[in-house]
């Protein structure tokens, strides 16, 4: 029996997402694109981007591009942009008007360190910088497609709508359907967009883009169920495993080339933070 996949999975569990190709390149790209200034806004942006995020979404974009035989170079600007969007959402999610959290990733939240106004502006600036990075570093026709996909996933049909729904039902008993809708909008849509955008950057055919979109959506749902499990809001993660299995089935068209994407779902299932 070939024990290589098993060994690889153990290695992924032990070393986390750093094992995935191009982790270091993502860090370099983020550094390159962020402002260097010593003003509060620039410092607040850098503080939140470099405070220990797992980089799941940009890794997903890059591995999706690679599975479609695309290049790192073509996927990297959008991958970095997606991480900036994610960081904006966390900064705003932590604000007093939202979750009012003092800690994020074990460190003081952006508004605790830089004040509420600077934290709001840092989020705004990261969000707008994300679209600027895509516009400046992608061929126009492709850039428009990526911007269309990303903006759909994070706005009134995606993440922000999910946050609004979450706020509406906060403290109230939620029907399973509402809870799932919140997870889809707040979390899974961005995972799905991250995977699809990798495929788009690779110039993949429609069938591959759609398959990766479905993979990302189920992976995002599985990720969120695990997140609730870690936070003690969910009793077990059998549901997360089921969703991860459904996600992995979407990768059948890629055969053995999808190994790294499957490693990502495996890692997300076993993670402790
Ligand atoms: C527009 C005012 C305004 C607020 C928007 C959109 C939004 C606020 C909040 C929703 C975003 C959110 C917090 C979704 C939850 C998803 C989630 C579990 C995020 C944590 O993701 P990880 O574990 O984070 O990938 P790391 O720390 O690894 O980067």
């Amino acid at each position: 029996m070939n024990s290589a996949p098993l060994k690889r999975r153990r290695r992924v569990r032990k070393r986390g997402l750093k094992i995935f190709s191009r982790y270091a390149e993502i860090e370099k790209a983020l550094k390159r694109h962020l402002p260097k200034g010593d003003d509060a806004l620039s410092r607040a942006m850098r503080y939140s981007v470099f405070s220990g995020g797992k980089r799941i979404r940009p890794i997903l974009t890059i591995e999706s591009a690679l599975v479609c035989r695309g290049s790192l170079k073509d996927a990297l600007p959008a991958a970095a942009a997606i991480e900036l969007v994610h960081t904006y959402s966390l900064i705003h999610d932590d604000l007093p008007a939202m979750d009012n959290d003092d800690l994020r990733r074990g460190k003081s939240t952006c508004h605790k360190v830089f004040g509420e106004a600077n934290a709001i502006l840092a989020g705004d600036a990261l969000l707008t910088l994300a679209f600027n990075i895509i516009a400046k570093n992608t061929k126009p026709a492709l850039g428009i497609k990526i911007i269309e996909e990303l903006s759909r996933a994070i706005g009134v049909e995606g993440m922000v709508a999910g946050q609004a729904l979450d706020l509406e039902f906060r403290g109230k008993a939620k029907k399973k359907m509402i809870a799932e809708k919140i997870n889809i909008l707040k979390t899974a849509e961005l995972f799905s967009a991250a995977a699809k955008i990798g495929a788009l950057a690779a110039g993949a055919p429609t069938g591959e883009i759609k398959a990766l979109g479905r993979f990302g959506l189920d992976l995002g749902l599985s990720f969120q169920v695990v997140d609730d499990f870690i936070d003690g809001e969910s009793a077990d993660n059998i549901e997360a495993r089921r969703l991860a299995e459904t996600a992995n089935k979407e990768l059948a068209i890629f055969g053995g080339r999808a190994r790294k994407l499957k490693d990502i779902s495996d890692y997300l299932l076993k993670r402790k933070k």
Side-chain angles (χ1 to χ4, degrees):
M1 196 186 102
N2 179 8
S3 65
L6 198 65
K7 274 194 194 143
R8 186 179 162 78
R9 278 179 192 187
R10 283 206 193 110
R11 210 149 52 94
V12 170
R13 254 171 252 162
K14 227 166 124 190
R15 292 194 39 219
L17 286 167
K18 287 194 181 165
I19 195 174
F20 290 104
S21 41
R22 332 296 191 215
Y23 188 93
E25 274 92 341
I26 294 170
E27 297 305 300
K28 259 194 264 164
L30 290 169
K31 267 204 189 98
R32 198 168 53 245
H33 290 300
L34 276 161
K36 316 275 179 292
D38 202 30
D39 54 292
L41 176 62
S42 304
R43 284 190 290 118
M45 291 165 77
R46 291 196 301 269
Y47 175 82
S48 289
V49 172
F50 299 109
S51 63
K54 294 183 287 299
R55 314 300 193 211
I56 296 164
R57 296 154 192 81
I59 287 172
L60 192 54
T61 301
I62 289 171
E63 295 299 347
S64 297
L66 296 178
V67 83
C68 296
R69 304 186 194 279
S71 72
L72 166 76
K73 190 171 159 283
D74 289 339
L76 200 50
I82 290 167
E83 184 65 9
L84 298 190
V85 168
H86 165 64
T87 310
Y88 128 78
S89 81
L90 299 184
I91 295 174
H92 281 196
D93 191 54
D94 291 335
L95 287 170
M98 300 276 166
D99 276 5
N100 193 18
D101 278 318
D102 292 352
L103 291 174
R104 161 80 51 196
R105 302 163 177 153
K107 296 182 183 141
S108 293
T109 44
C110 190
H111 67 272
K112 281 280 153 192
V113 179
F114 296 94
E116 205 177 328
N118 281 324
I120 292 171
L121 294 176
D124 294 340
L126 287 169
L127 177 62
T128 42
L129 178 59
F131 288 97
N132 187 261
I133 292 169
I134 298 169
K136 270 166 81 174
N137 295 282
T138 319
K139 289 196 182 103
L142 175 61
I144 294 288
K145 280 191 199 157
I146 293 176
I147 286 172
E148 185 185 348
E149 181 57 37
L150 184 57
S151 57
R152 187 200 55 77
I154 65 174
V156 72
E157 288 175 35
M159 190 170 67
V160 175
Q163 179 77 351
L165 202 59
D166 197 7
L167 290 175
E168 190 186 329
F169 281 89
R170 192 145 299 178
K172 298 180 193 157
K174 286 190 272 291
K175 288 207 173 98
K176 196 168 182 262
M177 219 177 74
I178 295 288
E180 193 180 82
K181 183 89 188 153
I182 291 172
N183 288 349
I184 289 176
L185 294 171
K186 255 184 94 165
T187 306
E189 285 290 356
L190 186 54
F191 270 68
S192 178
K196 269 168 107 175
I197 286 169
L200 280 169
T206 310
E208 293 187 0
I209 298 170
K210 286 192 172 164
L212 282 166
R214 290 191 298 268
F215 166 73
L217 200 76
D218 286 327
L219 185 70
L221 281 174
S222 165
F223 165 89
Q224 188 59 59
V225 173
V226 173
D227 215 63
D228 293 342
F229 180 68
I230 294 169
D231 290 345
E233 288 170 29
S234 159
D236 60 63
N237 61 8
I238 293 170
E239 176 69 358
R241 197 167 308 128
R242 190 190 62 76
L243 285 160
E245 276 163 17
T246 311
N248 287 350
K249 281 189 192 140
E250 299 293 350
L251 301 173
I253 55 166
F254 299 107
R257 282 190 292 128
R259 194 193 62 203
K260 284 198 183 169
L261 287 171
K262 287 183 183 163
D263 280 347
I264 296 178
S265 32
D266 191 53
Y267 165 79
L268 293 183
L269 217 45
K270 305 283 163 12
R271 78 200 165 93
K272 300 274 182 276
K273 65 167 191 161

